[in-house]
Amino acid sequence: MAEGRERIQHERPKRASTSRKVLSIGIDLGGTKIVAGLVSKDGRLLHGVKEQTHGWGDPNDVVEQLSIMVRYLIDRADSYSVGPIGIGAAAQIEEGTGAVTFAPNLGWSYFPLRERLEEVLGLPLLVTNDVRAAAFGEWHLGAGKGFRDLVLVFVGTGIGGSVISSGRLLTGHANTAGELGHTTVLVGGPKCRCPNYGCLEAVAGGWAIALRAQELIAQHRLEGAALLDLADGDINRVTARMVCDTAQRGDLLAQRVIDEAVAALIAGCTSFANAFSPRRIILGGGVIEGYPDLVARVEGGVRERALPAVVKDLEVVKASLGNDAGVIGAAAMARVHFSRKGLSPA
Amino acid sequence: MAEGRERIQHERPKRASTSRKVLSIGIDLGGTKIVAGLVSKDGRLLHGVKEQTHGWGDPNDVVEQLSIMVRYLIDRADSYSVGPIGIGAAAQIEEGTGAVTFAPNLGWSYFPLRERLEEVLGLPLLVTNDVRAAAFGEWHLGAGKGFRDLVLVFVGTGIGGSVISSGRLLTGHANTAGELGHTTVLVGGPKCRCPNYGCLEAVAGGWAIALRAQELIAQHRLEGAALLDLADGDINRVTARMVCDTAQRGDLLAQRVIDEAVAALIAGCTSFANAFSPRRIILGGGVIEGYPDLVARVEGGVRERALPAVVKDLEVVKASLGNDAGVIGAAAMARVHFSRKGLSPA
């Protein structure tokens, strides 16, 4: 701890003359893995580390793990100064305090993450939600750079989102705005993991794509043979990734599942276009990475269906930072945050 | 024109000492009628006038009509000063210029409404969209007073909406944000009047309620007898109002139509709750006024289905300004706008 702090203090005097060489640290804290990296001002991930997340349910284990990862990165920074640290966590975050209020994927309820980690590291931190960090990365350094009105939709196992409107990231009363995966696209549709039915995520999220394929395979063994084979004959091991792969190779059952997901994504993105009037809708996440043609199909549908005034300048594009969006975005968000507060070089 | 201008100029010197007595003029410009009124700072509509909209397709006729209405109101202001004038038009408005870019209900395409009316009246004007004006009214002087995060949904013939997030009204890239009626709630659902299918408006808007009732009556003459009777036996004359009335009196066919609309409103409002995390969802418009119990039913559904963090502080309430929201809101918006610009007493 003392070592890390000393290093930072030692480098501070240089900052006026070497402001271009200050690196920030970004951390993507998920339920299964933690990725942390040194990020330059222009958004390059210079050095990254990845670990399995320790200590399900015990946040103190994660604090210990994070502090070790941060100190390791500070050591790797060589002659660069290390500035602000940003964490994007798979959690609901209390605005202002940086406390986690709910994190089902980490097994935490309330935990003052920012406060505890600042105590251990002796360094100021920004804690935000992981999807919001990734969205911030795409906005400042990725596919949304230079735009003031954006809707970001990340289609992974679940579906997360974030909205930039007139140059401001929407937070809402509970600091949870942007939960676009839980937009109802089908009244009376399949049960979601949230309390609702027919959510976008319940049709087009990775878990829903896998589940729907499993249902269809059980009903149509012949048509499902290729997928089942990929899963070594175990229907429960069919994944969204397998569905994307086989659909792209022409498998009809997999294509049917993807078609349903595309219809839901078109419905959702049309709704987002009409509600927010973005200049760009940015699609990212594992399902999009696994089936890049989805972007053009969604764009085609939205262009046909959204209101003409909204469609005029609208583009639907793929996210450009890929899996690094969370780390780069958390680092960028911290840099901007502490720069505004005058606590750190921007 | 000169008369109006002189009157204003004559009264200006008094403004420092009588700032509480400055009235603004609000105008609700629709395709079938125009309502204009004198509005006090605290949002009371002191004197209103209502006329059929003249000149379908010729905006110059409407400019003439509006200028006569404004001069009449200035004369009625007696000893009060008349300050800013705000117009909420059933149109898409270009941000900054106050020009109408599209107004299907008025039969206009492009028309520089603010510029032309300022020329004729010699007074500064604010021109905005009618739904946005009503939303601003509810926010500043109605059911949303004192809140920073609001979603407003007006269920009339169509469904309009507006969103306030962290104390700012969302506009979006095309200045059309808040088109919440065109949120897809049912993939593959009924055709909307917009290019999309299964929109909230296509199930729960007044026109859709009437259409759905007409369809069901055609299929079930016996169950539809009460509604058909109300419409003097002409199925095409069945209105949403009739459906609301007979549903409240226990008619099963009408209740079925309303139940479908409620399910769509719950789906839509759950989506809005998750996307925006508002403190309040405010429901207004003719259908809500005609069936006030809808508010409690929608609140019950949203409370069950939206994300727990969002539901915690969320309230779903009825709009409080009723039909006057557009006039009061346009006046209030103009007052705030010109006060910020330092052009007029606030």
Side-chain angles (χ1 to χ4, degrees):
Chain A
M1 183 174 90
E3 195 189 317
R5 187 196 285 149
E6 271 169 32
R7 188 174 189 100
I8 296 293
Q9 288 174 336
H10 173 70
E11 304 226 12
R12 282 220 164 130
K14 285 200 275 176
R15 83 187 188 200
S17 57
T18 61
S19 65
R20 280 161 189 255
K21 293 194 170 176
V22 173
L23 304 179
S24 12
I25 290 178
I27 300 173
D28 189 355
L29 167 58
T32 54
K33 63 178 193 294
I34 302 174
V35 187
L38 287 167
V39 180
S40 67
K41 190 178 177 183
D42 59 355
R44 281 174 301 132
L45 179 57
L46 302 180
H47 188 79
V49 279
K50 184 171 168 177
E51 293 185 8
Q52 297 297 308
T53 308
H54 295 168
W56 164 267
D58 187 350
N60 292 304
D61 287 354
V62 171
V63 167
E64 176 62 21
Q65 187 178 9
L66 289 172
S67 68
I68 293 167
M69 291 173 86
V70 167
R71 285 188 201 119
Y72 167 79
L73 288 172
I74 289 172
D75 283 344
R76 293 293 308 233
D78 296 333
S79 63
Y80 297 97
S81 310
V82 174
I85 302 173
I87 301 182
Q92 285 165 13
I93 307 297
E94 192 172 67
E95 213 173 352
T97 66
V100 167
T101 53
F102 187 51
N105 294 332
L106 288 157
W108 307 354
S109 50
Y110 183 87
F111 182 70
L113 178 61
R114 191 182 81 194
E115 188 187 328
R116 289 294 162 81
L117 203 52
E118 282 182 350
E119 280 168 16
V120 173
L121 283 172
L123 297 170
L125 292 164
L126 174 86
V127 177
T128 189
N129 168 269
D130 57 349
V131 175
R132 209 166 272 178
F136 194 92
E138 290 290 343
W139 176 25
H140 279 249
L141 299 158
K145 198 173 171 182
F147 295 103
R148 290 168 54 78
D149 293 278
L150 298 170
V151 169
L152 300 107
V153 184
F154 296 99
V155 189
T157 304
I159 297 185
S162 196
V163 181
I164 320 294
S165 187
S166 296
R168 294 207 322 180
L169 201 152
L170 299 192
T171 53
H173 174 72
N175 196 29
T176 61
E179 286 281 9
L180 305 179
H182 301 289
T183 298
T184 315
V185 294
L186 194 60
V187 168
K191 181 77 185 81
C192 190
R193 289 181 172 180
C194 84
N196 197 15
Y197 292 78
C199 291
L200 175 57
E201 174 173 314
V203 182
W207 66 261
I209 288 174
L211 195 65
R212 179 69 175 135
Q214 291 164 11
E215 278 174 15
L216 288 175
I217 294 166
Q219 290 165 25
H220 310 278
R221 286 276 165 178
L222 204 66
E223 292 84 348
L227 263 172
L228 198 56
D229 199 45
L230 263 182
D232 298 327
D234 182 353
I235 199 167
N236 295 313
R237 294 177 62 186
V238 170
T239 64
R241 183 71 207 219
M242 293 174 193
V243 177
C244 287
D245 289 347
T246 51
Q248 286 173 99
R249 289 201 299 269
D251 184 84
L252 292 178
L253 186 141
Q255 284 181 345
R256 177 168 161 195
V257 176
I258 293 296
D259 287 350
E260 291 173 7
V262 168
L265 284 168
I266 290 172
C269 289
T270 299
S271 302
F272 308 148
N274 292 336
F276 299 107
S277 185
R279 177 69 177 71
R280 284 194 159 177
I281 294 176
I282 298 173
L283 299 177
V287 170
I288 303 295
E289 298 291 337
Y291 199 155
D293 279 0
L294 289 183
V295 176
R297 291 180 66 183
V298 172
E299 171 153 43
V302 171
R303 204 163 279 292
E304 269 178 27
R305 287 164 177 259
L307 298 169
V310 169
V311 164
K312 197 167 150 270
D313 294 336
L314 179 68
E315 293 165 319
V316 180
V317 301
K318 190 166 159 297
S320 66
L321 302 181
N323 289 334
D324 298 333
V327 171
I328 293 172
M333 207 164 176
R335 199 183 274 267
V336 169
H337 176 77
F338 289 112
S339 152
R340 280 187 191 144
K341 293 182 81 176
L343 291 178
S344 167
Chain B
M1 183 175 91
E3 195 188 317
R5 187 196 285 149
E6 272 170 31
R7 188 175 189 100
I8 297 291
Q9 289 174 336
H10 173 70
E11 305 225 12
R12 282 223 166 127
K14 285 200 278 175
R15 85 187 184 197
S17 56
T18 61
S19 64
R20 279 159 189 255
K21 293 192 169 177
V22 174
L23 304 179
S24 13
I25 289 178
I27 300 174
D28 189 356
L29 167 58
T32 55
K33 63 179 195 293
I34 302 173
V35 187
L38 287 166
V39 180
S40 66
K41 190 178 176 183
D42 59 354
R44 281 173 302 132
L45 179 58
L46 301 180
H47 188 78
V49 280
K50 183 172 169 177
E51 293 185 9
Q52 297 297 308
T53 308
H54 295 168
W56 165 266
D58 187 350
N60 292 303
D61 288 355
V62 171
V63 167
E64 176 63 21
Q65 187 179 11
L66 288 172
S67 68
I68 293 167
M69 291 173 86
V70 167
R71 286 191 200 116
Y72 167 80
L73 287 172
I74 289 173
D75 284 344
R76 293 293 308 234
D78 297 332
S79 63
Y80 296 96
S81 309
V82 174
I85 301 174
I87 301 183
Q92 283 165 14
I93 307 296
E94 192 171 66
E95 212 173 352
T97 66
V100 168
T101 53
F102 187 50
N105 294 331
L106 288 157
W108 307 355
S109 50
Y110 183 86
F111 183 71
L113 179 61
R114 191 183 80 194
E115 188 186 329
R116 290 293 162 80
L117 204 52
E118 282 183 349
E119 280 167 18
V120 173
L121 284 171
L123 297 170
L125 291 164
L126 173 86
V127 177
T128 188
N129 167 268
D130 57 348
V131 174
R132 210 166 272 180
F136 195 91
E138 290 291 343
W139 176 25
H140 279 248
L141 300 158
K145 198 172 171 182
F147 294 103
R148 290 168 52 80
D149 292 280
L150 298 170
V151 169
L152 300 106
V153 184
F154 296 99
V155 188
T157 304
I159 297 185
S162 198
V163 181
I164 320 296
S165 187
S166 296
R168 294 207 322 182
L169 202 151
L170 299 192
T171 54
H173 175 74
N175 197 29
T176 61
E179 287 281 8
L180 305 180
H182 301 289
T183 298
T184 315
V185 294
L186 195 60
V187 169
K191 181 78 185 82
C192 189
R193 290 180 171 179
C194 85
N196 197 16
Y197 291 78
C199 290
L200 175 58
E201 175 173 314
V203 182
W207 67 262
I209 288 174
L211 195 65
R212 180 70 176 134
Q214 290 164 13
E215 279 173 16
L216 287 175
I217 294 166
Q219 290 165 24
H220 309 279
R221 286 275 164 177
L222 204 68
E223 292 82 349
L227 264 173
L228 198 56
D229 199 47
L230 264 182
D232 297 328
D234 182 353
I235 198 168
N236 296 313
R237 295 178 63 188
V238 170
T239 63
R241 182 73 206 216
M242 292 173 193
V243 178
C244 287
D245 289 348
T246 52
Q248 285 173 98
R249 288 201 298 269
D251 184 85
L252 292 179
L253 185 141
Q255 284 181 346
R256 178 169 159 193
V257 177
I258 294 295
D259 287 350
E260 290 174 6
V262 168
L265 284 167
I266 290 172
C269 289
T270 298
S271 301
F272 308 149
N274 291 337
F276 300 107
S277 185
R279 177 68 176 73
R280 283 194 160 178
I281 294 177
I282 298 174
L283 299 176
V287 170
I288 302 296
E289 298 290 337
Y291 199 154
D293 279 359
L294 289 183
V295 177
R297 290 181 66 183
V298 172
E299 171 153 42
V302 171
R303 204 162 279 293
E304 269 177 28
R305 285 164 178 260
L307 298 168
V310 169
V311 163
K312 196 167 149 271
D313 293 336
L314 179 69
E315 294 166 319
V316 180
V317 302
K318 191 166 159 295
S320 66
L321 302 180
N323 290 334
D324 298 333
V327 171
I328 293 171
M333 208 164 174
R335 197 185 277 266
V336 169
H337 176 76
F338 289 112
S339 152
R340 280 186 192 147
K341 292 182 79 175
L343 291 177
S344 165

